[in-house]
Amino acid sequence: MAKQAIRVENLIKRFGEGDSLVSVIEGADFLVNKGELVALIAPSGAGKTTLLMMIGCVAEPTSGKIWLGDELVYDNEWLTKEQRKIRREKIGFIFQAHYLIPFLNVIENVTLVSQTNGVSEKESNAFAMELLEYFDIADKAHNLSSELSGGQNQRVAIARALANKPQIILADEPTAALDTERSVSVVQMLKKIALDQDVAIIMVTHDEAMLPFCDHILKIENKKVVSHDVPKSSKLI
Amino acid sequence: MINLAQKDIKHTLGKFIITAMGVGMLLGIVLIMIGVYRGMIVDAKVLLDDLNVDLWVVQEDTLGPFAEASRIHEDLKNSVRVIDGVEKSVGLTFQNLQLQTSVKPVRVVAVGFNPFDKVNPINPKRLVEGNILTHDHYEIVISDNIGFKLGEEIPIGRNLYRVVGITHGTVSSGGEPLVYISLKDAQELQFSYSNNRIRSDRARGIKDSSSNMPMVNAVVATVRLGYTTDEVAHNIRSTLHKSVYTRAEQRDILTKNLIERASKQIGLFTAILVVVSTIIIALIIYTMTLEKMKEISIMKLIGIPNSMIMKMIVQETLLLGFLAFIFGNLFSHLIYSHFPKRVVLEIPDAWMLFLVIMIASILASLIAIKKVINADPAAAIGG
């Protein structure tokens, strides 16, 4: 139990009702352990982001169960009204674009969530500087995101996702806007973070080249989520 | 703790200040409108305060020369003077004249008084050049905003009047400049007929139309120590059967009866401008919020509570309102002296507007706050 980071049981997501009912996920069951980097793959429109948003306590499932760590957070209904608090304390998000707050500088972007969690400015700044040094962008701590390159901004976004010391990182196509070389660099970085920080990472990706870096693969097939081992050369997408 | 409003404003400082200046100009106009109203009140009281008399005796069943035509015989002042409690009484005339300056004709109100009487309507504090009247004829004391200089001669009626004194800030209740002439000249201008008119009247069988007893528009009186104005007013009413108004009643006639409509009009304009300002602030804040919706969705997605985002919007709105208020004050103080009529900017009015704008700003932020509450965090990543 100590290794469990995300557990999903018979998760269902449907939109609409009656004739306009659209089923997206019909019974997802999977487990992701701490320290694992897991790829989530499926064709466009298959429900990858929807699944990610349900795990991230953003979108409400139709039914099923979700555990984050040992805590059962969803059992056919949210078991807490404070889903935003769960996100703030347990989850880090990384997006396709960096989505940094443009009016905050790098260190403010990184420390925003931890300061909101009640961590002192001094403590959160110190940890943020450690992260920025880890990502080799400490010299940009007081720059605005508009003054950074795309790759630097993405590293700041990853640092932000780690700043609240999350148990889980949900990454929605974090390499989609990057070239292959930078994509590999980012995924290697995520793998290292997963191991170093003992964090579970689910990464949505369309890029087969990123799969060998993952521990296993979740694939949405016919509205079911199927777990696969990492293939050596087969085409999954 | 990071102050989001401060960071956001710093990021778009120029735009924020220009916006505040724009709203500030609107608030400046609101302050000017209130100042115009205050100016009307002050103008209405100039003559009353300068005369400093206790009672106004006017034609029976009229409200007096500021509101209605009032004609009474000049010698009524003698009858008033002997009434118990009256200290002194004099006759005054008030009439509109149009003076031709070198640039344009100017409409003025002429006050006629006997320069040798004990009641003088010219306040020495307002006399900035020259003297008060010293002769019975053809002298004039004139307000400085008309444009005549000391010693200049002005044609009025059939005669030339020499400017012997210049006053500042002397206006009628309607805002027209005041001029002062002798009672005899005023009576001649107001009540004497031309030769043609006299001949025409005689031809119609009207006898001696020009040689009526001298008339005035009002007799004003002061009250002896030990008497109240109300009891002396009652004595005059019961003895002489004229309408009598105390100074307070005359002030009410001027400020309430005569200015009421104007004040309602200005009040309505002011209210509309405040509502327009509120709508503009609301739209600006709403637009500023819409521009940040992506960031707001991201903040909600990563777990930033609504309260922190709403605090940012309310702080920005209040600061916008505050800056606009400051700019509005600066703007109104820069331009108020260029208005043709008196504009009186009072500090309590500014504070009242400040309060209204702060409340309006909070109301204005509600639409943007609603937008924040309804923002979908999933929108941050496209659903």
Side-chain angles (χ1 to χ4, degrees), chain A residues 152-167:
Chain A
Q152 286 171 326
N153 274 323
Q154 196 62 336
R155 279 182 276 165
V156 176
I158 297 170
R160 175 177 69 179
L162 289 168
N164 58 337
K165 299 179 180 170
Q167 299 169 10

Side-chain angles (χ1 to χ4, degrees), chain A residues 49-50 53 58 84 87-88 93 95 99-104 108 111-113 115-116 121 144 160 172, chain B residues 1-2 4 7-8 11 292 294-295 298-306 308 312 377-378 380-381 383:
Chain A
T49 301
T50 303
M53 290 297 101
V58 178
R84 210 178 290 191
R87 292 206 290 274
R88 200 165 61 227
F93 289 91
F95 311 103
Y99 292 148
L100 296 172
I101 311 295
F103 52 83
L104 299 180
E108 287 161 348
T111 60
L112 181 61
V113 173
Q115 285 197 44
T116 309
E121 190 177 339
L144 294 172
R160 175 177 69 179
D172 191 14
Chain B
M1 189 68 194
I2 296 166
L4 295 173
K7 300 291 174 186
D8 187 30
H11 188 60
K292 288 195 286 278
K294 190 82 184 172
E295 288 78 29
I298 296 288
M299 284 195 270
K300 289 180 83 162
L301 184 66
I302 62 177
I304 304 302
N306 273 344
M308 201 165 151
M312 168 179 77
I381 50 167

Side-chain angles (χ1 to χ4, degrees), chain B residues 254-284:
Chain B
L254 279 168
T255 55
K256 287 188 183 162
N257 297 1
L258 298 182
I259 298 176
E260 196 178 5
R261 276 187 151 190
S263 68
K264 275 184 183 167
Q265 189 135 331
I266 288 174
L268 194 60
F269 261 125
T270 308
I272 290 169
L273 279 173
V274 168
V275 171
V276 169
S277 307
T278 308
I279 292 169
I280 289 175
I281 292 175
L283 284 175
I284 289 168

Side-chain angles (χ1 to χ4, degrees), chain B residues 32 332-341 343:
Chain B
I32 292 284
S332 59
H333 279 85
L334 278 175
I335 64 163
Y336 84 102
S337 59
H338 300 290
F339 279 74
K341 287 185 91 174
V343 177

Side-chain angles (χ1 to χ4, degrees), chain B residues 168-341:
Chain B
H168 176 74
T170 47
V171 286
S172 72
S173 58
E176 290 112 348
L178 284 180
V179 300
Y180 304 87
I181 53 179
S182 74
L183 187 64
K184 284 183 180 172
D185 286 344
Q187 284 169 327
E188 190 185 331
L189 284 168
Q190 191 175 166
F191 305 117
S192 294
Y193 297 146
S194 66
N195 292 340
N196 279 341
R197 167 71 190 264
I198 295 164
R199 277 197 293 274
S200 172
D201 282 355
R202 281 178 185 161
R204 283 176 169 79
I206 302 166
K207 286 183 182 173
D208 218 4
S209 60
S210 67
S211 60
N212 286 332
M213 301 241 342
M215 306 293 281
V216 291
N217 300 117
V219 168
V220 293
T222 56
V223 171
R224 285 183 194 282
L225 274 174
Y227 290 83
T228 66
T229 50
D230 285 336
E231 69 178 306
V232 178
H234 176 75
N235 291 345
I236 298 172
R237 270 188 216 108
S238 55
T239 313
L240 300 173
H241 307 290
K242 299 290 175 196
S243 292
V244 183
Y245 298 99
T246 64
R247 188 171 168 175
E249 286 168 338
Q250 193 65 261
R251 180 172 294 171
D252 278 357
I253 289 170
L254 279 168
T255 55
K256 287 188 183 162
N257 297 1
L258 298 182
I259 298 176
E260 196 178 5
R261 276 187 151 190
S263 68
K264 275 184 183 167
Q265 189 135 331
I266 288 174
L268 194 60
F269 261 125
T270 308
I272 290 169
L273 279 173
V274 168
V275 171
V276 169
S277 307
T278 308
I279 292 169
I280 289 175
I281 292 175
L283 284 175
I284 289 168
I285 291 297
Y286 184 67
T287 309
M288 282 167 66
T289 307
L290 280 188
E291 284 170 0
K292 288 195 286 278
M293 278 317 289
K294 190 82 184 172
E295 288 78 29
I296 287 169
S297 291
I298 296 288
M299 284 195 270
K300 289 180 83 162
L301 184 66
I302 62 177
I304 304 302
N306 273 344
S307 58
M308 201 165 151
I309 303 167
M310 288 190 291
K311 190 174 155 191
M312 168 179 77
I313 288 166
V314 172
Q315 282 178 339
E316 285 183 7
T317 316
L318 288 176
L319 188 65
L320 183 69
F322 178 74
L323 279 181
F325 171 75
I326 300 287
F327 284 126
N329 269 283
L330 289 174
F331 178 65
S332 59
H333 279 85
L334 278 175
I335 64 163
Y336 84 102
S337 59
H338 300 290
F339 279 74
K341 287 185 91 174

